[in-house]
Amino acid sequence: MKFTQKFNNIVNKNNSLLCVGLDTDLEKIPKRILKKKNPIFEFNKEIIDATHDLVCSYKPNIAFYEAYGIDGLGQLKLTMQYLQKKYPEIPTILDAKRADIPNTARMYAKAAFDFWKADAITVFPTLGLDSLLPFLEYRDKLIILLLKTSNPDSPTFQNFSINRKPYYLAMANIIKTWKYENIGIFVGSTYPNELKRVRDIFPDHTFLSAGIGHQNATIAKAVKSGINKQKKGVMFNVSRHVIYSDSPRKEASKFRDNINKYR
Amino acid sequence: MKFTQKFNNIVNKNNSLLCVGLDTDLEKIPKRILKKKNPIFEFNKEIIDATHDLVCSYKPNIAFYEAYGIDGLGQLKLTMQYLQKKYPEIPTILDAKRADIPNTARMYAKAAFDFWKADAITVFPTLGLDSLLPFLEYRDKLIILLLKTSNPDSPTFQNFSINRKPYYLAMANIIKTWKYENIGIFVGSTYPNELKRVRDIFPDHTFLSAGIGHQNATIAKAVKSGINKQKKGVMFNVSRHVIYSDSPRKEASKFRDNINKYR
């Protein structure tokens, strides 16, 4: 099944544009879970079971698993397998922000889709189209191109002016000439004006946006900037604010409803 | 020990600026090795033993290991441990091309240096200084910023004109104002003019450059563009042309000598 179809199905079923980020840090896991054998997986399992009917996708950021080496990655595998078996209708985004020359990108694509079996991956378009083709060949997967990141220093290199346009917009104008149905777009929710300008260039693409939780982006602005004409087509990621809250279910529910309020 | 000291020691000892890229693809490994238990590691071990006195560093590209999942990464760990135990004087570059917001970059840095125990990592500077600080805090490690990649399509987004300067040079001019001793620079050997222009901006930084093997960059041009005033300060990476040759030792020796010819 194509990503967009799977995504639209779950958006309708769960009435949600909320993506929960599984950025699980051992140092922040409750003590009762730390005692278990695979604490990172067990923690994720609880989050997933508590929120599965409130989300449109899950997004593990692979850095958090790599930090704990082979063991951490083994627990990411358990998490992916759990999702794929118990909730196969929910898309998984591997937030890996990969990018390399074509011969190497081929291996990253193999990892993301043949090993992790993710439904989507985040990648930097900085190396150009040749570096993206090995990902784009997986036609049912969404290849999410990072155009504008959510962090405070992102303007330094992402807002350079090129013929009076900022860098990320100049990139967007080239990317829109690439005729691949499975390109997705990332713009941080902390930059709602930028999100709006990029959305105007890609009215029909699926977007991923992050920053409405811990990074304090305003939900109203982000939602109005990010949705398409059908008031859908975008996933808003929240990680820390949901997964480390006292009640991940309540918190996810609040975020889902707040996002829906502004759709 | 600081990276540059370790690096200069081995450059002098082995009289070499050759970095061998351990981009080990199971599909290209000889059949006699494929029969063994950890074929990727066994292959790497042979390459390392055959070339250790001819190189200035080894650079595994982590994508090739990720493609084989947990098992592949386990064999990268065996490779790193082998290098660290048997050849502790040879620096290891984890070619991972990572980049993420500060809270996540922290986890990538932990992975690279606390788990893999690499001496250096390649990262994209695209997100700005805040995203690099978690890496730069590891003062003895070299944080190699990718300014211009070696692939054919790299000009699309890396040579955009900004106030009449290409993007990668505009980035370089900002990066040179960052006062961190452990910043390294990457420019592809396939773009020797660009390498020269960036070297002029960073006369004293340690460089990594790739492309003189399979990607057909001219050694003479790359060496003249990349070396510093002491005719050192740069690693030239070759992967496929050395590791899949009939005699990796002969091939590495040829590359080392050819590089030295133009120093």
Side-chain angles (χ1 to χ4, degrees), chain B residues 25 86 111 151 164 237 247 262:
Chain B
D25 186 340
K86 190 150 179 203
N151 60 311
R164 294 186 202 160
N237 181 75
S247 168
Y262 298 106

Side-chain angles (χ1 to χ4, degrees), chain A residues 23-28 61-71 73-75 77 95-108 110-111 114-116 124-132 149-158 160-163 167 170-172 174-175 178 215 240, chain B residues 23-28 61-71 73-75 77 95-108 110-111 114-116 124-132 149-158 160-163 167 170-172 174-175 178 215 240:
Chain A
D23 299 355
T24 307
D25 187 338
L26 260 187
E27 289 173 21
K28 293 180 185 164
N61 188 313
I62 198 167
F64 286 80
Y65 303 87
E66 291 184 10
Y68 298 103
I70 308 289
D71 180 47
L73 289 160
Q75 296 189 59
K77 186 66 185 166
D95 194 0
K97 299 189 174 66
R98 298 306 196 233
D100 212 312
I101 63 170
N103 184 53
T104 309
R106 182 174 59 86
M107 301 309 265
Y108 276 133
K110 196 169 146 77
D114 296 344
F115 179 71
W116 296 109
F124 283 106
T126 331
L127 276 74
L129 183 57
D130 61 356
S131 75
L132 300 171
T149 57
S150 61
N151 59 311
D153 280 2
S154 85
T156 313
F157 297 132
Q158 296 169 26
F160 265 142
S161 172
I162 293 161
N163 298 328
Y167 182 70
M171 290 182 95
I174 288 176
I175 291 167
W178 297 346
Q215 295 177 74
R240 289 168 271 179
Chain B
D23 300 353
T24 306
D25 186 340
L26 260 187
E27 290 173 20
K28 294 181 183 163
N61 188 311
I62 198 167
F64 287 80
Y65 303 86
E66 291 184 10
Y68 298 104
I70 307 289
D71 179 48
L73 290 160
Q75 296 190 58
K77 187 65 186 167
D95 195 359
K97 298 187 174 67
R98 299 306 196 232
D100 213 312
I101 63 170
N103 184 52
T104 309
R106 183 175 58 87
M107 301 309 265
Y108 277 133
K110 197 168 143 79
D114 296 344
F115 179 72
W116 296 110
F124 284 106
T126 331
L127 275 74
L129 183 57
D130 62 356
S131 75
L132 300 171
T149 58
S150 60
N151 60 311
D153 279 2
S154 85
T156 313
F157 296 131
Q158 295 169 26
F160 265 141
S161 173
I162 293 161
N163 298 327
Y167 182 70
M171 290 181 94
I174 288 176
I175 291 167
W178 297 345
Q215 296 178 72
R240 290 168 270 180

Side-chain angles (χ1 to χ4, degrees), chain B residues 17 218-227 236 258-259 262-263:
Chain B
L17 299 179
T218 311
I219 294 181
K221 277 191 193 171
V223 173
K224 283 174 188 163
S225 303
I227 52 174
F236 291 102
N258 264 326
I259 292 166
Y262 298 106
R263 273 165 78 183

Side-chain angles (χ1 to χ4, degrees), chain B residues 26-43:
Chain B
L26 260 187
E27 290 173 20
K28 294 181 183 163
I29 286 181
K31 275 188 189 156
R32 68 178 166 80
I33 299 181
L34 271 184
K35 288 176 203 156
K36 298 188 182 181
K37 196 188 162 200
N38 290 305
I40 299 175
F41 165 61
E42 295 293 342
F43 180 80

Side-chain angles (χ1 to χ4, degrees), chain A residues 102-153:
Chain A
N103 184 53
T104 309
R106 182 174 59 86
M107 301 309 265
Y108 276 133
K110 196 169 146 77
F113 302 131
D114 296 344
F115 179 71
W116 296 109
K117 302 189 193 298
D119 294 303
I121 186 175
T122 55
V123 299
F124 283 106
T126 331
L127 276 74
L129 183 57
D130 61 356
S131 75
L132 300 171
L133 292 177
F135 294 101
L136 292 167
E137 277 168 14
Y138 289 79
R139 296 304 175 91
D140 287 351
K141 309 292 188 176
L142 189 72
I143 314 306
I144 303 172
L145 310 186
L146 298 140
L147 280 190
K148 172 74 185 159
T149 57
S150 61
N151 59 311
D153 280 2

Side-chain angles (χ1 to χ4, degrees), chain A residues 52-232:
Chain A
H52 69 96
D53 56 339
L54 300 169
V55 304
C56 68
S57 57
Y58 288 107
K59 181 176 77 61
N61 188 313
I62 198 167
F64 286 80
Y65 303 87
E66 291 184 10
Y68 298 103
I70 308 289
D71 180 47
L73 289 160
Q75 296 189 59
L76 174 58
K77 186 66 185 166
L78 292 174
T79 305
M80 294 299 277
Q81 284 170 332
Y82 185 73
L83 278 165
Q84 286 145 9
K85 196 168 173 190
K86 189 150 180 206
Y87 306 106
E89 73 282 9
I90 306 178
T92 53
I93 324 289
L94 187 71
D95 194 0
K97 299 189 174 66
R98 298 306 196 233
D100 212 312
I101 63 170
N103 184 53
T104 309
R106 182 174 59 86
M107 301 309 265
Y108 276 133
K110 196 169 146 77
F113 302 131
D114 296 344
F115 179 71
W116 296 109
K117 302 189 193 298
D119 294 303
I121 186 175
T122 55
V123 299
F124 283 106
T126 331
L127 276 74
L129 183 57
D130 61 356
S131 75
L132 300 171
L133 292 177
F135 294 101
L136 292 167
E137 277 168 14
Y138 289 79
R139 296 304 175 91
D140 287 351
K141 309 292 188 176
L142 189 72
I143 314 306
I144 303 172
L145 310 186
L146 298 140
L147 280 190
K148 172 74 185 159
T149 57
S150 61
N151 59 311
D153 280 2
S154 85
T156 313
F157 297 132
Q158 296 169 26
N159 290 44
F160 265 142
S161 172
I162 293 161
N163 298 328
R164 295 183 200 161
K165 281 204 173 112
Y167 182 70
Y168 72 90
L169 268 195
M171 290 182 95
N173 281 311
I174 288 176
I175 291 167
K176 79 170 175 192
T177 67
W178 297 346
K179 301 299 174 203
Y180 293 88
E181 278 189 359
N182 58 337
I183 287 178
I185 302 290
F186 178 94
V187 175
S189 306
T190 45
Y191 296 101
N193 298 333
E194 282 86 341
L195 178 55
K196 179 74 175 69
R197 294 176 80 178
V198 177
R199 172 50 95 185
D200 287 344
I201 294 174
F202 299 99
D204 300 318
H205 284 61
T206 301
F207 275 52
L208 169 66
S209 189
I212 60 171
H214 201 82
Q215 295 177 74
N216 281 324
T218 312
I219 295 182
K221 277 191 192 170
V223 173
K224 284 173 187 165
S225 304
I227 51 174
N228 64 14
K229 279 179 190 156
Q230 291 76 41
K231 301 180 186 303
K232 294 179 189 173

Side-chain angles (χ1 to χ4, degrees), chain B residues 232-252:
Chain B
K232 293 179 189 172
V234 55
M235 304 171 249
F236 291 102
N237 181 75
V238 181
S239 301
R240 290 168 270 180
H241 255 243
V242 165
I243 68 175
Y244 303 129
S245 76
D246 291 335
S247 168
R249 180 165 180 82
K250 264 192 203 156
E251 205 63 21

